[in-house]
Amino acid sequence: MTTTQSPSLATGPAEHPIHPEHTPTGQLAFGAFFQGVNSSTIWRLPESGDQVAWESFEALVRTAERGRFAAFFLGEGLRLREHREVPFELDVAGRPDAQTLLAALAGVTERIGLVATQNTTYNDPVDLARRLQTLDLLSGGRAGWNIVTTDNAWTGENFRRGGYLDHEDRYVHAEAFVEVAEQYWRGEQITHDGAHYSVRAQGDLPRSAQGRPVLFQAGASPAGQDFAARTSDVIFSPHGTLEAAVEFRRSIVERTVAAGRDAGSVKILPGAEIILAPTEAEAEEKVRWVRDLQIGPEQAIALLEQYWGRDLSAFDPDGPLPDVAPEVVESGVTRGAGFQFAKAEELTRAWREEAAEKGQSILEFARARSGARRGTFTGSYDQVAERLVEFARLGAIDGLNITPWLIPSGLDDIVDELIPRLQERGVYPTEYAGATLRENLGLPPG
Amino acid sequence: MTDTALHPGAETAAAREAGSNLPVLAVDLVADPSLLSRLAELGRGLEEAGVGAVTISDGGLHPIHVASFLAPLTRTLGLLPRTDAIYVEPFHLATQLMSLDHLSHGRAGWLLTAETDPAAPAAVGREVLGLEATAREAADVLEAARLVWDSWAPDAVVKDTSRGVYVDAARLQYTDVEASTFSLRGPSITPRSPQGLLPVLVADTDRPAVGERVATELADGRVLDVDVSAGAHPDQIAETLEGADARLVRLVGLDLEADPLGTVTALVAALRERELIASAADEGQSLREQLGLAIAEHAPDPERRTDRARRTDLTDQTREESA
Ligand SMILES: Cc1cc2nc3c(=O)[nH]c(=O)nc-3n(C[C@H](O)[C@H](O)[C@H](O)COP(=O)(O)O)c2cc1C
């Protein structure tokens, strides 16, 4: 594992390798991301805990707070994922409503931020703003909102307005939505007449200790980045390599400065998976073990079926990728948050060639792909610590949003082994900076 | 689908015939921001005073969140947010309430109300509904919520390592509600909660708004409101309670500034002595049990099964492999 900086990264002046106006803080903040529905959380082990039980959330949040994590995040999906028109059976599915759960966690935690992923398309802005402000008040200024913009008629079937929004308009709508929420938080009279509905309301709650909830944005498209640059305090990026992270920082800083804000106003926390062991060799072994448990033969076939748009159950998971053409041109990707549409024919041909070149079976291909998609930090405790120091020193990221691959014990080795090493190296806080999420993320008052 | 599962009113009558069901005493907390610093202390104190439940009325803070906040801080207290059924998303409302049931280990209930303040429709961009339309929608939302709550079988998470199956789609069902003002597909994004169907009660004050069908046919029971703003007099309250056909007695207007716990402790003792209210709940007891409601059985409906679209060849194949 190499930690040396590639020379191509330093394109700016030596002291400003990313952007002339950006000064790295050299500090990292961690978030714990309990996604609830995903393929990365292993459920096959005896020590895999219940995904909805209060005890699982409480145990995880306590470990995170012991490790001085800045925030605890919960994901959201507003319809059960489906695969070939049946709810997807192979992955962890089913979770509590994020904010309802966080309101309970507010009572048993002291300092950690509580961040709910909430959709702007299928919520009413005043209702959501009031719930978020309630959470902010109950927690003494520790609430955050991860703004997501999923929009489709399929999810819309669970809501009054249905699939009313065009995909191109999702961020236009989201910005108007956030503006209404901010007016509510400022205690203003709200008069909003938008393309889809009108709102008349009055903000009627006191401001919290941090002013307003911290705004997070999870979205990597150019429209998503612009939205974050204009409106958000933090962006979740999907980038795990140093090169990609530096490129993303540059893009965000440019957009933030263009939007008239300070270069460092938007913090960047890539989503990450961390697999650790005492030595490099043990870590390599562990990565293989984790992947085997995450992606079984059924998941590997299901992954391909999404893109081939047809039943592939007759294919051997240990054999080569199917040599048949996909059934649809526009793939019927398993529906749910985080999945992208792609041209099926181009994609499946490219995959077949890639797997053949590398001599991978269906199963090996699926496991490799799943690891590559996640920003993964693997290695010995010291190796991962050194790598993160490099990220911090360059200012490529402000921290990581960590998805544990095991619930509820998946943060234990991070807190007990990695964090002390980061603290020794001076890149991770030994105490909470303050009482609010805003303070603990190093953000100015809201 | 059996009738009893979705119209638990029928069970209520049966349970009542069994006798023994004294109403549960609840205190109404108005979720006002001024209460924030004392909320935890109040919740714990009321539980210690022997109160069976709290209802949480809207005073600015969101009642479901306030109920959630109190859940891990208490152990036996029933938690019933008094929440509007009309100017909300039925899907969000249903999953929020069942989430409260999960994290309180089965102590959640819903004190159903229907908003008549014109500020509520204005905030979500809807027209003001008349009383009749409000009552119809309240009934539709309640029926839809119960279908969402019942959309996962208790054993839907199978974690079958041999087949690699985490959740069995044959044990999930769609909600498929087509009401006049909304539709909802389902199933829930949250697995079935400990009580399955949360107890849904209607307070006397809310009867005109929610309508007779919800109050008498659909809800699990009546909530008798006792206004104690002018003081709590055990004799007077005892008189009101005699023969009252209520599941819950709700003390409203309690002065939360002036020694509420002392007042409540004395009142609980006086009413228990006269055998007018139920004894305090035991740890681990669900709100349904505390209220004397029958256990809510899952009602599977083959028509709604989420795997009904699964092609038979695939199903057969899977069965053979696992056999
Ligand atoms: C770290 C991370 C977490 C995300 N979590 C969720 C989530 O919980 N729910 C959701 O609907 N979308 C989630 N998303 C998806 C984004 O909201 C967004 O749809 C996706 O990144 C595509 O972005 P775009 O709309 O800007 O193209 C997440 C994205 C990232 C990067």
Side-chain angles (χ1 to χ4, degrees):
Chain A
M1 194 156 306
T2 169
T3 56
T4 50
Q5 182 195 342
S6 102
S8 65
L9 290 175
T11 50
E15 68 275 30
H16 301 301
I18 286 175
H19 188 278
E21 289 181 37
H22 179 258
T23 316
T25 63
Q27 291 296 303
L28 299 175
F30 280 179
F33 190 12
F34 196 123
Q35 296 197 29
V37 169
N38 62 85
S39 60
S40 52
T41 308
I42 293 167
W43 55 262
R44 297 163 205 259
L45 289 171
E47 58 268 43
S48 304
D50 191 315
Q51 297 289 316
V52 281
W54 165 252
E55 288 73 14
S56 301
F57 294 97
E58 196 186 14
L60 201 70
V61 84
R62 285 196 191 283
T63 309
E65 197 164 51
R66 181 161 64 81
R68 307 292 181 257
F69 275 51
F72 185 76
F73 295 85
L74 294 174
E76 182 205 59
L78 296 173
R79 186 159 170 185
L80 276 193
R81 282 165 48 184
E82 288 183 3
H83 179 68
R84 299 170 65 73
E85 286 166 22
V86 171
F88 192 49
E89 296 178 303
L90 309 182
D91 289 347
V92 163
R95 54 184 152 196
D97 173 70
Q99 276 195 77
T100 308
L101 183 72
L102 293 175
L105 290 177
V108 299
T109 51
E110 302 271 332
R111 293 297 177 96
I112 194 165
L114 302 165
V115 187
T117 301
Q118 299 277 302
N119 188 294
T120 50
T121 309
Y122 303 108
N123 272 293
D124 289 304
V126 170
D127 172 58
L128 181 58
R130 179 159 87 109
R131 282 189 283 128
L132 285 163
Q133 199 166 358
T134 299
L135 179 63
D136 212 12
L137 289 165
L138 286 170
S139 63
R142 294 186 284 133
W145 171 20
N146 177 28
I147 304 163
V148 294
T149 56
T150 305
D151 61 281
N152 51 60
W154 178 78
T155 306
E157 280 186 345
N158 280 333
F159 298 97
R160 289 183 186 271
R161 293 188 189 94
Y164 68 98
L165 192 62
D166 286 340
H167 188 66
E168 302 77 58
D169 293 336
R170 69 201 189 283
Y171 282 112
V172 177
H173 177 75
E175 263 188 79
F177 187 114
V178 172
E179 177 54 30
V180 169
E182 288 185 330
Q183 287 174 347
Y184 182 85
W185 295 330
R186 288 193 296 260
E188 292 168 7
Q189 182 77 43
I190 301 160
T191 308
H192 164 80
D193 292 294
H196 306 289
Y197 50 79
S198 299
V199 175
R200 300 284 179 275
Q202 169 71 53
D204 53 6
L205 285 171
R207 284 174 87 70
S208 80
Q210 65 172 354
R212 60 161 174 82
V214 175
L215 299 183
F216 293 75
Q217 136 78 1
S221 66
Q225 291 185 41
D226 278 332
F227 174 84
R230 282 196 297 270
T231 11
S232 306
D233 302 306
V234 186
I235 185 165
F236 286 157
S237 63
H239 308 99
T241 69
L242 190 60
E243 286 78 3
V246 164
E247 255 334 288
F248 191 74
R249 166 70 82 188
R250 194 175 288 135
S251 170
I252 290 296
V253 170
E254 274 166 16
R255 288 168 206 262
T256 309
V257 170
R261 297 171 73 193
D262 283 349
S265 337
V266 182
K267 304 286 179 189
I268 301 177
L269 298 188
E273 180 191 52
I274 298 186
I275 304 174
L276 301 169
T279 65
E280 182 173 2
E282 285 167 280
E284 273 170 22
E285 183 59 30
K286 190 162 168 186
V287 171
R288 269 194 297 277
W289 175 75
V290 168
R291 293 280 175 263
D292 285 4
L293 287 162
Q294 284 170 328
I295 310 288
E298 303 84 3
Q299 274 108 331
I301 296 288
L303 169 77
L304 299 193
E305 283 179 346
Q306 291 171 38
Y307 296 89
W308 261 261
R310 56 193 285 176
D311 174 17
L312 301 174
S313 56
F315 287 86
D316 178 4
D318 293 318
L321 263 60
D323 51 3
V324 295
E327 239 163 43
V328 283
V329 178
E330 206 71 30
S331 68
V333 171
T334 292
R335 288 178 286 198
F339 287 93
Q340 300 287 336
F341 283 83
K343 290 259 181 281
E345 228 166 75
E346 278 169 39
L347 189 81
T348 54
R349 193 181 320 115
W351 280 6
R352 212 161 34 226
E353 283 164 14
E354 186 191 326
E357 209 169 285
K358 294 180 179 161
Q360 286 169 327
S361 67
I362 290 176
L363 195 48
E364 287 162 341
F365 176 80
R367 284 176 181 160
R369 201 185 112 81
S370 116
R373 258 193 336 171
R374 302 184 175 111
T376 303
F377 291 83
T378 64
S380 73
Y381 307 134
D382 286 310
Q383 281 175 322
V384 173
E386 287 300 332
R387 232 177 115 204
L388 286 173
V389 166
E390 187 68 7
F391 273 76
R393 195 186 64 74
L394 270 178
I397 58 174
D398 296 294
L400 294 175
N401 195 28
I402 301 162
T403 295
W405 45 267
L406 195 59
I407 299 291
S409 61
L411 295 177
D412 292 0
D413 57 0
I414 294 168
V415 169
D416 296 331
E417 302 291 348
L418 179 62
I419 286 178
R421 286 169 171 81
L422 295 174
Q423 288 167 332
E424 275 165 29
R425 289 161 173 82
V427 299
Y428 192 91
T430 49
E431 270 315 320
Y432 280 106
T436 67
L437 174 56
R438 203 166 274 287
E439 288 170 275
N440 291 323
L441 285 169
L443 291 164
Chain B
M1 185 170 319
T2 62
D3 241 28
T4 45
L6 294 172
H7 298 283
E11 294 173 341
T12 307
R16 217 175 278 144
E17 263 170 50
S20 85
N21 281 317
L22 293 168
V24 167
L25 186 74
V27 167
D28 185 52
L29 296 180
V30 180
D32 187 275
S34 68
L35 211 61
L36 275 164
S37 60
R38 284 175 304 139
L39 205 50
E41 189 196 333
L42 258 176
R44 284 201 194 97
L46 288 169
E47 182 172 83
E48 260 166 49
V51 164
V54 286
T55 61
I56 295 134
S57 295
D58 196 337
L61 298 174
H62 198 279
I64 296 178
H65 283 10
V66 172
S68 292
F69 178 81
L70 289 175
L73 305 176
T74 53
R75 302 208 317 267
T76 61
L77 206 59
L79 302 161
L80 297 103
R82 177 168 171 263
T83 296
D84 176 35
I86 313 299
Y87 300 107
V88 291
E89 283 289 353
F91 190 74
H92 286 319
L93 176 65
T95 54
Q96 286 162 13
L97 286 166
M98 69 196 293
S99 300
L100 175 63
D101 199 38
H102 275 290
L103 61 94
S104 66
H105 299 105
R107 292 186 282 135
W110 179 16
L111 192 57
L112 190 154
T113 182
E115 199 51 82
T116 50
D117 180 348
V124 294
R126 286 185 69 191
E127 299 293 321
V128 180
L129 294 178
L131 265 187
E132 204 176 304
T134 301
R136 190 174 338 119
E137 190 162 322
D140 288 344
V141 171
L142 172 52
E143 291 190 301
R146 284 192 174 133
L147 285 165
V148 172
W149 295 340
D150 205 35
S151 63
W152 288 54
D155 58 356
V157 173
V158 292
K159 293 194 181 181
D160 179 345
T161 45
S162 66
R163 289 192 300 140
V165 170
Y166 177 83
V167 59
D168 181 359
R171 301 179 204 193
L172 302 176
Q173 48 197 13
Y174 286 110
T175 304
D176 278 342
V177 166
E178 288 289 340
S180 54
T181 52
F182 67 93
S183 56
L184 199 164
R185 174 90 168 129
S188 172
I189 47 164
T190 305
R192 186 181 187 82
S193 75
Q195 297 184 96
L197 305 184
L198 275 66
V200 180
L201 304 177
V202 174
D204 291 347
T205 4
D206 293 322
R207 283 177 79 111
V210 306
E212 278 308 292
R213 177 149 181 262
V214 167
T216 57
E217 271 179 56
L218 297 178
D220 294 297
R222 172 191 176 207
V223 176
L224 174 73
D225 289 345
V226 177
D227 187 347
V228 292
S229 53
H233 308 291
D235 290 339
Q236 224 172 315
I237 294 172
E239 213 169 287
T240 321
L241 282 180
E242 290 285 359
D245 182 22
R247 286 266 139 209
L248 197 79
V249 181
R250 185 171 72 128
L251 305 181
V252 293
L254 187 72
D255 186 350
L256 296 171
E257 300 289 337
D259 182 34
L261 299 179
T263 311
V264 170
T265 310
L267 196 59
V268 169
L271 295 176
R272 288 246 160 83
E273 197 181 318
R274 290 167 215 215
E275 296 188 356
L276 287 170
I277 55 165
S279 51
D282 295 323
E283 201 167 338
Q285 204 178 15
S286 71
L287 182 60
R288 286 192 79 90
E289 288 172 296
Q290 204 194 342
L291 292 167
L293 296 168
I295 285 170
E297 303 287 354
H298 173 56
D301 179 355
E303 289 294 301
R304 294 176 191 270
R305 259 175 65 155
T306 63
D307 73 335
R308 69 198 191 285
R310 199 202 303 262
R311 285 157 309 155
T312 44
D313 58 301
L314 266 182
T315 312
D316 291 345
Q317 205 174 323
T318 319
R319 293 244 166 85
E320 272 163 34
E321 277 166 16
S322 64

